[in-house]
Amino acid sequence: MIVDPVGPEVPAALAPLLTSMRDAIMELLAPTRPRLAFRSTVAGLPRPASDWEGCVADVTDLATLAKSDGTDWLRIDTGAPI
């Protein structure tokens, strides 16, 4: 996906905001550094897990990461469903 740069036709008052938004989108599309994982408790994990296939969460009350396999949230440390 390509996000066009902010052009000269944009009002001067909006240019910094739009440039900042573009830069943030580009960083999400092509990260240049590690990012914090979504933090949640077991009870707060988004459900159903099928809506979040491939996503990772830092499960704070279990002190582990979890990944959705499209069916369940799985603990990274044991592979067990949460």
Side-chain angles (χ1 to χ4, degrees):
M1 170 187 257
I2 297 174
V3 180
D4 293 331
V6 176
E9 71 283 355
V10 172
L14 288 179
L17 172 64
L18 294 176
T19 298
S20 172
M21 291 172 63
R22 180 190 184 277
D23 292 347
I25 291 168
M26 294 305 296
E27 179 65 24
L28 290 171
L29 292 173
T32 59
R33 60 190 170 98
R35 292 286 184 189
L36 288 174
F38 170 75
R39 289 190 172 150
S40 176
T41 61
V42 170
L45 283 170
R47 307 287 179 176
S50 59
D51 288 348
W52 303 96
E53 184 174 1
C55 292
V56 175
D58 178 2
V59 186
T60 56
D61 52 343
L62 296 179
T64 191
L65 294 174
K67 180 182 179 191
S68 170
D69 67 353
T71 302
D72 296 298
W73 285 100
L74 303 176
R75 293 177 62 121
I76 297 294
D77 57 351
T78 65
I82 297 176

